[in-house]
Amino acid sequence: MSKERARRRAEREAERARAIRLNEERQARAARRRALLARLIPRPIRIARQGGLLARRRRGQNAVLGLVFVLVQVVAWLYWGSPFLSLTVFVFSLLLAPVVMTLAFDRRT
């Protein structure tokens, strides 16, 4: 009887060892997969806006300049209607935008 119990105990221990080994292999595969995905998938980057007075003022000024730029494009398109003239106004506006920004919004104050 004790030989039978010893044999069954040995079988149970062998089964438990096999289950532990399979579980460790499964965990190792999952860890390798997570490591590979971590290298392949970029982490999201949070871009925080500046919250100071100067940053808020600059965002407002940029919004005004953008609105004026769009309005000039719409007026040029409606007034002339020619694609060549509209493109010319667009290019001219792109070149003049920094000049208007400098003259209209003095950043020294």
Side-chain angles (χ1 to χ4, degrees):
M1 190 70 155
S2 93
K3 289 182 183 180
E4 181 66 23
R5 281 195 309 229
R7 184 183 60 77
R8 280 189 264 160
R9 183 182 314 123
E11 288 175 357
R12 283 194 309 265
E13 288 175 359
E15 181 64 31
R16 188 177 304 130
R18 188 175 337 125
I20 289 172
R21 189 180 71 244
L22 288 175
N23 190 22
E24 288 173 352
E25 289 174 359
R26 191 177 309 124
Q27 288 178 351
R29 276 194 310 270
R32 285 193 304 269
R33 188 179 307 125
R34 280 193 303 272
L36 177 65
L37 286 176
R39 283 184 298 213
L40 294 177
I41 299 173
R43 292 187 186 123
I45 298 173
R46 181 176 181 269
I47 299 174
R49 294 186 347 181
Q50 294 290 325
L53 176 66
L54 294 177
R56 268 186 284 153
R57 189 169 75 186
R58 181 176 182 126
R59 279 194 300 272
Q61 291 171 354
N62 288 343
V64 168
L65 184 68
L67 182 64
V68 168
F69 182 82
V70 169
L71 287 176
V72 166
Q73 301 311 309
V74 169
V75 167
W77 181 69
L78 289 175
Y79 186 71
W80 285 297
S82 167
F84 177 74
L85 287 176
S86 296
L87 183 63
T88 304
V89 169
F90 178 74
V91 171
F92 192 64
S93 298
L94 281 178
L95 293 174
L96 279 181
V99 175
V100 170
M101 186 68 147
T102 303
L103 294 176
F105 305 116
D106 188 11
R107 298 207 187 265
R108 289 179 292 171
T109 58

